[in-house]
Amino acid sequence: MSSFNHRKYRPFPPVAKTDRRWPDNVIEHAPDWCSVDLRDGNQALIEPMTPSQKLSMFQLLVDVGFKEIEVGFPAASQPDFDFVRQLIEQDLVPDDVTIQVLTQAREPLIARSFEALQGARSAIMHLYNSTSTVQREQVFKMSREEIRGISVQGAIWVRDYAAAQPETAWQFQYSPESFTNTEMDYAVEICDAVIDVWQPTPGNKAIINLPATVEVATPNVYADQIETICDQIGRRDCVRISLHTHNDRGCGIAAAELGVMAGADRIEGTLLGNGERTGNMDIVTMAMNLYSQGIDPELDFSDMDRIINVVEACTQLAVHPRHPYAGELVFAAFSGSHQDAINKCLLIDEQERRLKGPDTHWKVAYLPIDPRDVGRTYQEVIRINSQSGKGGVAYVMEQDYGLILPRWLQVDFSSHVQQFAERSETEVSTGQIRQIFQDTYIDVDMPITVESYQASRAKGSDQLTAMLLTQNGRIEISSDGKGILDAFVSAINSKLDSRLVLVDYSEHTLGDNEQSEAMAYVQLNINGKRFCGAGCSEDIVGASLRAVLNAVSRAGVRIDTGAAPVLEAIKIAN
Ligand code: KIV
Ligand code: ZN
């Protein structure tokens, strides 16, 4: 029999609520953030952080802008105790940062936690005990009253030990652990009982932290729970409601966001989501979500690579390449239609930004934020494989090599890149793309080159004489036309029994000074088939003539320098 039996599970009961307001609320400013990387995150690691890893994590958290940092569980771990002491004794905590430690509601542990914090300028003592039905009934085998007694007694010890260390500016925090599985009326009762002991004021608020210790329902249910607590708890103006979500259903961030809409003031989480089981709420993603809505997250993630490096080094966990905002692939587009759209939008964005300034609204398809904001470059945006199309290839050519391919050449060239990608079955690097371009349109087989030319311009008609070097020797050609290029094409035509027609032409310089080389692109119709060529030279005429001859050579047209010029069977290069 299959062990996969859904009847084993029950749906989470919805919160009975008729006055639900949070769905209409909009987050307008950043919550207070508290990092728990050094406590909850550290407790979840296969190998807990070493002292130097802890220090580098702490420094990162300070640099990113956290003002509240849970630095350990000193009563439960000697290394955590030592780390807290190191921070205080070496004066490593900036004046505007408050450290927090976690303690269970047992007197010796509370005493030890206060000992760890001796001499701290300011600190948060974070008291917790488990309050859920399952924990009460099966783990502790205690009644609601008995569990409330533990919380209240813990709160009394915290209050009294703090009073004995008046040199520290104390804040108190209480977590009814496993809150989401706790009856709401009981959660209110127990939080109120703790608040009654602590007697917070609007000037020195208590923190009531409501953990989704295990995520058990959809995020809207969590938001209902948070709104219920916010509505029913006493002295709301003296309390900061804090959220601490885990990610068991993969919705830890969504739950925290809806919880803020439901009235919470503060968020606990970790950088990139390390933490017990599926992790803690990822503060990077939540903060960047706010950022992408035009809200200052009050945390600075502009050096995302440093964040990734430190987190990976401290946790020994690799950041997933598709991790929101941070992963290596999250700004990369391989699909042709996406690349095309991104390419067009980026060009418009660049122009608008130049005209209207840096606050111009970001409206780029497929990119929720500007990758440059987190230290990424556009090179990482457009990546080429066999799924890619002309937009992406054109983008790479322009961004990396300054080659502005006209649309008709983009179409032609992308098919060459695609063939290469299909053959190699890998991503194609920008260097390889540039090489394919060179091999296809410039360093062509059996080239015909211009040895010298003379052009004269006159009103209505230009005259061109050129000495060509072919595989069979030299030949001089000459003609006039409406422009130098037209004259050149007619000069070649005069030596062939078939007709070349110039279909498209484009040129640009490769820099913005007088010494800059010129690049020309042409498309010829030769015997009903189209051939593209490109040419580079110090001057635009030389580049154009080379481009024409490269297209001619690609077509396999061999100019016989003897008696009769011959148009050989066309070798189709593409
Ligand atoms: O997940 C949790 O409930 C906790 C508490 C100790 C806050 O980490
Ligand atoms: Zn936790």
Side-chain angles (χ1 to χ4, degrees), residues 36 39-40 211-213 244 246 276 280:
V36 296
R39 197 278 299 170
D40 218 353
T213 305
H244 176 113
H246 281 266
E276 292 283 3
N280 282 79

Side-chain angles (χ1 to χ4, degrees), residues 39-40 102 126 128 175 177-178 209 211 213 244 246:
R39 197 278 299 170
D40 218 353
L102 180 72
H126 178 186
Y128 82 98
S175 293
E177 202 235 48
S178 59
N209 186 48
T213 305
H244 176 113
H246 281 266

